[in-house]
Amino acid sequence: MESLSWSSRSNEDDGRRFKRKPLSDLMDQDLLQSAKEARNALLEQVADLDDDFASLMLEEYSEDCNLIPVEKLQAAIRRITLTRSAVPVLCGSALKNKGVQPLLDAITLYLPSPDDCTHDFMSWYKDDLCALAFKVVHDRQRGPMVFVRIYSGMMKAQSAVYNVNKNCTERMSRLLLPFADQQVEISSLSPGNIALTVGLKQTATGDTIVSSKASAAAAARRAVRSEEKTKDRKSQDNLVLAGVEIPEPVFFCTIEPPSVAKQFDLENALRCLQLEDPSLKVRTDPDSGQLILCGMGELHIEIIHDRIRREYGLETYLGPLQIAYRETIVCGSRASDTLDRTMGDTRHQVTVELEVRPLSEDIPLIEYSANLPSSVNSYKEAIENGIHGCYLTGPLLGSPLQDVGVIVHEVSVLPGTSMTVVSACVSRCMTKALKMSEKQILEPMMSLEITMGEDHLSRVLADLSQRRGNVGAIQDRLDSKVVLAHVPLAELMGYSTDLRTVTSGTATFTLELSNYEAMNPQEQNSLLRKKGLV
């Protein structure tokens, strides 16, 4: 146990000499005993998880484990951390600046360095640059600023880099080393570091950055050779780093600028926000031309709305929040259509016959009949563009289609017909077939986890039953109860407020998209009546 230096005046030397007292004399005996017990408990825990440290305790320091050097204990904790057998936990408060320095020391002592990490892609890129863009922020003067984590190679300022996800090359104007809210400009940075780049205008959160397109191609060739040796069929997919897994948005609403003159400013703000937040989606309604804002929840869209006001100075208007349903079909149907138009001196004529059917795992999305002539191959791109365009708008709510397959039985095209007319005829024929089939609305189902005290459990369960919820399990977590449930998203609008009311503000919950399920006929008819579609 280290000694603690403290100052007191000595009667013999006019108060200019200092004494040193052992820590045990200064600490409260109960506190000292608690510290010893905590150290012994830590030693036992580490010994249970690390065989080398256990041998050290039983052999070399069997008489007194407290004599074990702190360096050997730290080395054992590091081994345990690297093998993920346990996670060191430190206490402190950033607000009061308590425990921050021990935390930083623990990061240095226990967490892996870049040399400790081995990834397949690092051997494919070798000494070439490979980095992950994990955050994007926008500066009014410097534009988009991208935080990147360098895995291999050197990143240099004033250099061109290749974005694997976007398939584009961009030039980095400046390279900065971030220190909290300040940055230091540097010329280059080595692997394992985090850098802040200026000039990457197309890069979004989760993108993979490499030195050049040739470097990515060379890495792909090395991955193919590795795949042949290891028979790993997913090697090439790993050329793109893990990034961020983004689920599909489940809420959407219209967003309008305060005036037509501000339309461009709003579109620019939304473009910048999408680079920062990949879970935010923006599309344009094909009928009304309105901008549609798609997000992960009510709070998500509210935050985006507030950021547009605060950061871009735009007072936008949001339409009512709506749920992102999907549509499918229960049984197949077949239809044919002919589109005959004369534009200028050219006649454009297309005849299409196709069938829509429920899609299963072993059925391809688009299938061509064996009786089709080989000349159809020259129109395949136009045919598939028409089909994919029709997938965006279903026949009931105008929601995207899901689990619908298409069989193309006949395509007859007059020579000289444009590809746009071919796509339009295919899309119109598919819409006709969908309207003839038995249709089904799919609603988003959410995985809901609620943590509360046991005295509120019965009221929470009763509330879930009224929301068409299906309780999967009730677990114990310390002194709390945890309810795992499956609930339609439509029944969870404003749930945070309702849950606070039911539990007197003591419960918390998490929510994530699970899957899409078919609505029962009563609920489907009720939804269609509410939207005025029946």
Side-chain angles (χ1 to χ4, degrees):
M1 192 65 80
E2 294 184 3
S3 61
L4 176 66
S5 298
W6 70 293
S7 61
S8 66
R9 291 191 176 273
S10 171
N11 294 329
E12 299 177 354
D13 198 11
D14 295 327
R16 297 185 182 274
R17 299 181 63 183
F18 298 92
K19 291 185 177 181
R20 297 176 62 90
K21 291 191 176 182
L23 181 64
S24 56
D25 289 352
L26 299 176
M27 293 181 62
D28 181 88
Q29 291 301 314
D30 292 338
L31 185 60
L32 182 61
Q33 183 62 30
S34 298
K36 289 182 178 179
E37 291 175 356
R39 177 181 168 85
N40 290 335
L42 175 62
L43 294 174
E44 292 175 6
Q45 187 177 4
V46 172
D48 289 339
L49 297 170
D50 186 83
D51 292 339
D52 292 342
F53 190 77
S55 301
L56 197 68
M57 285 183 63
L58 295 174
E59 297 172 5
E60 194 171 340
Y61 296 95
S62 58
E63 294 183 1
D64 188 356
C65 294
N66 290 317
L67 298 177
I68 297 177
V70 67
E71 294 79 10
K72 293 187 179 293
L73 176 60
Q74 290 171 345
I77 295 175
R78 188 171 196 276
R79 289 194 297 270
I80 292 169
T81 305
L82 294 181
T83 57
R84 299 184 182 182
S85 302
V87 178
V89 177
L90 293 91
C91 300
S93 169
L95 179 64
K96 298 181 179 180
N97 195 27
K98 300 293 185 183
V100 176
Q101 287 74 24
L103 173 63
L104 295 175
D105 291 340
I107 290 173
T108 304
L109 288 169
Y110 306 133
L111 295 187
S113 74
D115 296 334
D116 295 318
C117 301
T118 56
H119 303 284
D120 290 339
F121 68 84
M122 293 176 69
S123 63
W124 301 332
Y125 284 103
K126 293 190 173 180
D127 294 330
D128 289 336
L129 172 67
C130 180
L132 174 67
F134 66 89
K135 184 179 181 180
V136 179
V137 295
H138 279 80
D139 185 89
R140 291 185 182 275
Q141 283 76 37
R142 293 180 284 190
M145 303 174 67
V146 183
F147 285 86
V148 296
R149 201 276 198 185
I150 305 172
Y151 283 89
S152 66
M154 294 288 291
M155 179 168 278
K156 300 179 181 179
Q158 299 290 335
S159 63
V161 293
Y162 177 69
N163 187 320
V164 179
N165 300 72
K166 299 292 191 300
N167 190 25
C168 68
T169 299
E170 296 188 274
R171 177 164 289 278
M172 184 195 320
S173 59
R174 298 174 66 190
L175 187 64
L176 308 171
L177 196 61
F179 291 97
D181 60 346
Q182 299 183 10
Q183 299 94 33
V184 177
E185 188 161 359
I186 54 176
S187 59
S188 63
L189 205 59
S190 58
N193 285 296
I194 289 175
L196 183 58
T197 65
V198 180
L200 304 182
K201 297 181 179 179
Q202 302 297 322
T203 301
T205 302
D207 286 354
T208 299
I209 305 297
V210 298
S211 55
S212 65
K213 192 170 184 177
S215 170
R221 289 193 294 272
R222 296 186 190 104
V224 170
R225 290 196 290 269
S226 173
E227 177 185 307
E228 292 172 351
K229 291 179 181 178
T230 63
K231 299 182 180 180
D232 182 4
R233 306 303 301 174
K234 62 180 182 179
S235 291
Q236 293 184 67
D237 297 336
N238 294 338
L239 289 174
V240 177
L241 302 181
V244 184
E245 185 176 343
I246 305 298
E248 284 295 313
V250 291
F251 283 104
F252 69 92
C253 67
T254 59
I255 182 169
E256 298 178 357
S259 64
V260 177
K262 296 291 185 180
Q263 179 74 23
F264 176 79
D265 294 336
L266 175 59
E267 291 176 357
N268 180 63
L270 292 173
R271 188 161 47 248
C272 294
L273 289 171
Q274 284 183 91
L275 291 176
E276 296 181 28
D277 181 3
S279 64
L280 174 67
K281 305 292 183 185
V282 180
R283 59 183 174 87
T284 303
D285 186 275
D287 298 323
S288 65
Q290 288 180 300
L291 287 174
I292 307 295
L293 200 61
C294 308
M296 303 307 301
E298 298 171 83
L299 181 61
H300 185 202
I301 290 180
E302 287 175 11
I303 291 172
I304 294 298
H305 186 218
D306 183 63
R307 288 190 63 188
I308 292 173
R309 179 183 59 80
R310 287 187 294 103
E311 298 175 21
Y312 298 92
L314 295 172
E315 292 290 345
T316 55
Y317 304 101
L318 293 182
L321 203 61
Q322 301 183 58
I323 293 170
Y325 292 98
R326 296 284 187 269
E327 299 181 33
T328 190
I329 57 175
V330 178
C331 59
S333 62
R334 189 165 175 164
S336 60
D337 197 5
T338 299
L339 186 59
D340 192 344
R341 295 284 187 274
T342 300
M343 291 179 281
D345 297 331
T346 307
R347 184 184 181 190
H348 303 262
Q349 185 183 51
V350 185
T351 299
V352 175
E353 182 178 352
L354 56 76
E355 178 185 353
V356 293
R357 58 180 176 175
L359 191 66
S360 59
E361 292 183 0
D362 56 342
I363 296 178
L365 184 68
I366 302 174
E367 188 176 348
Y368 293 89
S369 173
N371 300 325
L372 288 171
S374 58
S375 59
V376 170
N377 291 331
S378 59
Y379 302 106
K380 270 191 174 182
E381 184 178 353
I383 293 170
E384 293 179 6
N385 285 340
I387 292 172
H388 288 305
C390 202
Y391 271 105
L392 300 176
T393 308
L396 286 174
L397 299 173
S399 300
L401 292 175
Q402 180 172 304
D403 299 332
V404 176
V406 178
I407 304 175
V408 181
H409 290 287
E410 180 187 348
V411 179
S412 177
V413 182
L414 187 71
T417 300
S418 73
M419 296 299 169
T420 304
V421 175
V422 175
S423 296
C425 184
V426 171
S427 181
R428 197 167 78 170
C429 183
M430 183 174 172
T431 300
K432 185 188 293 187
L434 289 168
K435 289 181 177 178
M436 295 166 54
S437 63
E438 185 180 346
K439 298 167 283 292
Q440 175 74 61
I441 297 176
L442 305 175
E443 64 177 341
M445 301 296 293
M446 310 301 289
S447 293
L448 176 65
E449 180 180 304
I450 312 169
T451 305
M452 80 219 80
E454 188 171 0
D455 51 337
H456 298 296
L457 180 60
S458 59
R459 289 193 292 274
V460 169
L461 294 177
D463 181 67
L464 287 176
S465 66
Q466 295 177 359
R467 298 174 185 271
R468 296 190 285 134
N470 179 27
V471 177
I474 301 175
Q475 301 174 349
D476 293 317
R477 185 176 298 168
L478 299 178
D479 297 330
S480 301
K481 290 289 184 179
V482 179
V483 175
L484 305 178
H486 208 53
V487 189
L489 178 60
E491 303 292 341
L492 293 173
M493 301 286 281
Y495 184 64
S496 58
T497 302
D498 296 339
L499 183 63
R500 282 197 297 268
T501 302
V502 171
T503 63
S504 302
T506 60
T508 60
F509 75 97
T510 60
L511 198 65
E512 65 175 339
L513 178 65
S514 173
N515 63 311
Y516 279 84
E517 289 186 4
M519 298 182 75
N520 62 53
Q522 293 81 11
E523 295 293 338
Q524 178 168 315
N525 291 333
S526 174
L527 176 64
L528 293 173
R529 281 195 299 272
K530 186 187 299 183
K531 293 184 177 289
L533 298 175
V534 292

